[in-house]
Amino acid sequence: MSHIPRIRADRSHLPLVAAATGLTPARRPVWFMRQAGRSLPEYRAIRAEHGMLESCFDAAMVCEITLQPVRRHDVDAAILFSDIVVPLKAAGIDLDIVAGTGPVIAAPVRSESAVRAIPRLEPESVGAIGRAVELILGELGEHTALIGFAGAPFTLASYLIEGGPSRNYERTKAMMHGSPELWNDLMGRLADITIAFLRVQLDAGVDAIQLFDSWAGMLSVADYQRFVAPHSTRVLAEVAEYGVPRIHFGVGTGELLASMAHAGADVIGVDWRVPLDEAARRVGPGKAVQGNLDPTLLFAGDAVVDREVRRVVADGDRAIAAGATGHIFNLGHGVLPGTDPDVLTRVVERIHSL
Ligand code: CP3
């Protein structure tokens, strides 16, 4: 690859970067998956006027929506407002993001000809996202990191093959096991798209990236290792040269934590099912952990939230004692749309006070 990453300023003063790289952060970093979105009235006001995909391809709107939760909550990171299917759309795949459902693919990918027709991602087609990153970096405070992200090949493949969200992933697993060569061809193409999308964000200056393999927890360890890990490993390896922390996350991945860690990220995201200290033992030493407050408990009242925040912080400390290089506080999955944003603001205050 003739790709030359741009020389980056040292970002280790950012609490998120410090926690991800084994340094001592000035405070315990916290951000929330899906912090930008329907929990915020200011987000709903924008979306009342503009479609989801329209918003994702407008640099000024991406910048505004990305900054909304940072202004409110004093989180230590902004996450780029986008979606895992944005690079697929930009590459020319006909899809939509349907409110209350998620991504819906016009022509699901289930044949050799459909796999062969998956286009490459031309970086210019996501130029608005690169411009949005530059706008955000111009406005973000000095101590707030900007996280870029992409969907991992498996999670993208599951949407393309099933045509939308799925309960059992039967068509995905049928292709994986029944046509392994076709599966690998599809996963290779999606890995290329993911790498290209991450590079656009990294070239524009994001401070960290998160690779979302949200639905990998549906797989056995054996299937994950054989059919998924090689492709996620390649994605993570091909962006390593930027030297920014790489976070890898999925839901229900308790049994996969060691295999996911092996794919090469610097930080492993953990859902609420496994305590962080146990997660750190499964992940192995030398990596940071991120997580893992159960997002549904944000509805349980202040006393419960306070107790759970303190428990997760204590588990995070035990994770570090067990060999993790750091703890980034987060939820175990995304903020649910009905969450009271003031509860999130208080969670951030509480974590920073501990
Ligand atoms: O604040 C942030 O976290 C950044 C924004 C973000 C969105 N999607 C915005 C969004 C991120 C990081 C994503 C990633 C994403 N998209 C994932 C991986 C993260 C995860 O939750 O596991 C996945 C699986 C998707 C696919 C997707 N897109 C789903 C499942 C949904 C929700 C469907 C619904 O309406 O409940 C979407 C739509 C989506 N992406 C919304 C937002 C704010 C809601 C759309 C709306 O506002 O109508």
Side-chain angles (χ1 to χ4, degrees):
M1 287 269 159
S2 61
H3 189 86
I4 302 164
R6 95 173 185 193
I7 308 285
R8 305 177 61 82
D10 180 18
R11 310 296 280 157
S12 58
H13 66 283
L14 298 168
L16 180 121
V17 172
T21 54
L23 302 170
T24 305
R27 64 185 192 183
R28 188 178 307 249
V30 49
W31 67 282
F32 304 113
M33 292 184 276
R34 293 281 171 99
Q35 63 190 15
R38 282 170 296 181
S39 68
L40 301 183
E42 57 271 36
Y43 170 82
R44 295 196 298 267
I46 292 184
R47 287 293 322 288
E49 311 271 322
H50 303 279
M52 175 68 189
L53 281 168
E54 177 199 347
S55 316
C56 289
F57 284 97
D58 180 309
M61 257 192 287
V62 169
C63 175
E64 169 57 24
I65 297 172
T66 299
L67 293 174
Q68 285 176 346
V70 179
R71 292 188 195 114
R72 252 187 196 260
H73 304 312
D74 191 29
V75 277
D76 296 283
I79 179 154
L80 181 73
F81 176 75
S82 189
D83 195 83
I84 58 169
V85 296
V86 161
L88 302 180
K89 177 79 180 177
I93 296 172
D94 188 4
L95 60 85
D96 200 3
I97 299 178
V98 178
T101 301
V104 175
I105 314 299
V109 175
R110 295 173 188 163
S111 64
E112 198 174 323
S113 59
V115 170
R116 289 225 184 100
I118 303 268
R120 298 187 72 84
L121 178 67
E122 300 302 335
E124 306 76 54
S125 66
V126 284
I129 286 96
R131 284 194 297 282
V133 168
E134 288 166 11
L135 291 176
I136 297 161
L137 289 172
E139 295 206 23
L140 264 190
E142 216 186 309
H143 297 281
T144 314
L146 176 59
I147 302 171
F149 75 91
F154 169 75
T155 291
L156 294 178
S158 77
Y159 279 111
L160 286 180
I161 297 168
E162 303 294 340
S166 175
R167 184 180 290 269
N168 298 313
Y169 300 90
E170 59 269 44
R171 292 189 176 92
T172 307
K173 292 182 185 182
M175 187 192 288
M176 187 184 268
H177 284 271
S179 313
E181 283 181 15
L182 186 60
W183 170 260
N184 277 321
D185 185 356
L186 173 60
M187 290 287 278
R189 288 166 189 265
L190 294 173
D192 288 341
I193 290 175
T194 294
I195 292 162
F197 188 49
L198 288 172
R199 283 188 169 160
V200 165
Q201 300 171 53
L202 286 158
D203 283 331
V206 296
D207 301 303
I209 57 120
Q210 178 153 324
L211 186 64
F212 281 98
D213 213 352
S214 299
W215 314 134
M218 291 302 291
L219 299 172
S220 68
V221 176
D223 284 358
Y224 178 82
Q225 286 180 345
R226 176 164 169 219
F227 295 113
V228 175
H231 302 281
S232 295
T233 302
R234 181 163 74 87
V235 170
L236 291 164
E238 292 217 19
V239 296
E241 61 193 358
Y242 288 88
V244 311
R246 295 157 300 165
I247 310 168
H248 197 183
F249 167 79
V251 184
T253 55
E255 298 299 327
L256 301 181
L257 286 172
S259 307
M260 287 184 79
H262 203 69
D266 308 288
V267 182
I268 300 299
V270 183
D271 83 359
W272 62 90
R273 292 174 178 87
V274 181
L276 288 176
D277 51 341
E278 171 59 19
R281 281 186 282 276
R282 296 183 190 185
V283 162
K287 293 182 192 294
V289 289
Q290 175 175 280
N292 69 348
L293 182 69
D294 184 339
T296 65
L297 294 182
L298 296 171
F299 295 81
D302 281 344
V304 171
V305 171
D306 187 66
R307 187 192 69 207
E308 287 298 304
V309 165
R310 282 186 285 113
R311 184 184 61 74
V312 170
V313 166
D315 287 350
D317 287 341
R318 277 194 288 273
I320 292 169
T325 51
H327 173 216
I328 299 166
F329 198 107
N330 205 313
L331 304 179
H333 197 193
V335 175
L336 294 165
T339 306
D340 175 355
D342 293 339
V343 173
L344 292 172
T345 305
R346 289 200 292 277
V347 166
V348 175
E349 275 170 15
R350 192 77 181 104
I351 292 160
H352 287 156
S353 77
L354 289 171

